[in-house]
Amino acid sequence: MGAAMCKLSDKVGQHVKKRSPGCKYACHAACRDRVSLDCHPAASPFSQDQLNNNTLLQDVEKERELRTEFNREEIRQKIEQYNSLTKDHLKMTLNPTGVYTGFIKVQMDLRRPVTVRGGQRGAGGALVGEAFYLPRGVTNTLHISSNNTVRQVIVALLSKFTVQDNPAKYALYKRYRREEQVYVCKLADGEQPLFLRLVAGPDSDTLSFVLREQTGEVMWDAFSIPELRNFLRILDKEENEQRDAVLRRYDSYRRRLQEAMRDLRGPS
């Protein structure tokens, strides 16, 4: 019955619904005429929905603010405000053309190995890449302009680490905190990370960037034969390391058991 107080007769059954505003219950058809309702809702039944809608609208407005364009004077004011708040001396600069430059930090969160340019040449004379895992959580700082898009930032990051992989395998995500909740959202290729940084301010809790692989099924067809062979070599190496670790652990157990048995037997 929710937030309502209802007066019912002694015999209340099931199966037939009888309603009044703010109250729901079911009674037997034979009992319907003997049941009276005197419901007084404590609040409007739509108040919670309205509250949820208002919260949703606020979230939409906040999200829309990150997509709003500003004129030159507004940009200048926001840059001044940004520079006054930054604590790491990575300030933004407004150029006479209206384009501004600044820094963004991108956390590398890659789960699969990457292929980097190596110094060895294959049979055809081309440089053969080497595959390895980038340390997860490492942060890289890029100096970009307000014209640079997400796709250009991804290409610049891969180039900085000399990664040969196709940039289409990766995506840039924004991570932001709202009301003690952390959200992660994939950015479109055409979005401008420096503009998002400017609007959000320098606080990394308010907004940060993360580079990850594209979500979904791994498209193995997108990898070249040398890349796939490198992956197999990495898996073989990890398998050997795990096997050796297990053997060392059980060798240690065996020695300790043998020592304990000798101690129990005593001197021979």
Side-chain angles (χ1 to χ4, degrees), residues 145-154 172 188-193:
S145 78
S146 55
N147 289 335
N148 290 136
T149 63
V150 165
R151 182 52 48 187
Q152 291 172 331
V153 167
I154 293 175
L172 191 67
D189 286 349
E191 293 191 71
Q192 297 166 322

Side-chain angles (χ1 to χ4, degrees), residues 85-102:
L85 295 175
T86 184
K87 299 178 181 179
D88 53 12
H89 305 292
L90 300 179
K91 299 182 181 295
M92 294 193 186
T93 303
L94 179 62
N95 299 325
T97 59
V99 176
Y100 53 96
T101 59

Side-chain angles (χ1 to χ4, degrees), residues 53-67:
N53 288 337
N54 289 338
T55 302
L56 179 61
L57 288 175
Q58 291 175 2
D59 290 344
V60 171
E61 289 299 327
K62 291 179 180 179
E63 185 69 16
R64 186 178 300 166
E65 183 182 2
L66 295 179
R67 305 295 195 273

Side-chain angles (χ1 to χ4, degrees), residues 29-226:
C31 303
R32 179 167 51 184
D33 295 336
R34 286 178 281 176
V35 176
S36 62
L37 299 178
D38 184 14
C39 300
H40 304 284
S44 169
F46 304 103
S47 58
Q48 186 61 43
D49 291 340
Q50 290 172 350
L51 179 61
N52 293 338
N53 288 337
N54 289 338
T55 302
L56 179 61
L57 288 175
Q58 291 175 2
D59 290 344
V60 171
E61 289 299 327
K62 291 179 180 179
E63 185 69 16
R64 186 178 300 166
E65 183 182 2
L66 295 179
R67 305 295 195 273
T68 303
E69 295 183 358
F70 299 102
N71 59 40
R72 182 185 177 88
E73 179 58 25
E74 291 171 331
I75 291 292
R76 185 189 65 79
Q77 294 176 2
K78 286 187 173 295
I79 289 178
E80 289 182 356
Q81 182 182 14
Y82 182 96
N83 290 340
S84 66
L85 295 175
T86 184
K87 299 178 181 179
D88 53 12
H89 305 292
L90 300 179
K91 299 182 181 295
M92 294 193 186
T93 303
L94 179 62
N95 299 325
T97 59
V99 176
Y100 53 96
T101 59
F103 298 86
I104 63 169
K105 295 180 179 180
V106 182
Q107 182 180 1
M108 312 295 285
D109 188 20
L110 304 181
R111 301 176 183 272
R112 297 194 293 268
V114 298
T115 304
V116 299
R117 291 189 290 272
Q120 299 179 353
R121 295 188 177 274
L127 288 175
V128 178
E130 298 178 357
F132 70 97
Y133 286 94
L134 283 177
R136 292 185 61 185
V138 63
T139 299
N140 196 6
T141 302
L142 287 179
H143 185 258
I144 62 174
S145 78
S146 55
N147 289 335
N148 290 136
T149 63
V150 165
R151 182 52 48 187
Q152 291 172 331
V153 167
I154 293 175
V155 172
L157 279 171
L158 297 181
S159 177
K160 194 168 185 178
F161 284 97
T162 66
V163 175
Q164 289 182 318
D165 296 340
N166 187 344
K169 299 176 184 176
Y170 304 93
L172 191 67
Y173 291 78
K174 67 176 181 179
R175 182 168 52 202
Y176 57 97
R177 183 184 300 273
R178 185 170 296 165
E179 297 179 356
E180 303 304 322
Q181 295 292 327
V182 177
Y183 302 88
V184 178
C185 177
K186 179 182 175 181
L187 294 174
D189 286 349
E191 293 191 71
Q192 297 166 322
L194 192 61
F195 179 76
L196 300 180
R197 178 80 278 164
L198 175 64
V199 173
D203 188 358
S204 59
D205 283 340
T206 305
L207 175 70
S208 60
F209 298 104
V210 182
L211 183 71
R212 292 179 176 175
E213 294 93 348
Q214 292 277 11
T215 57
E217 186 72 18
V218 178
M219 303 299 294
W220 294 112
D221 292 342
F223 293 89
S224 65
I225 295 299

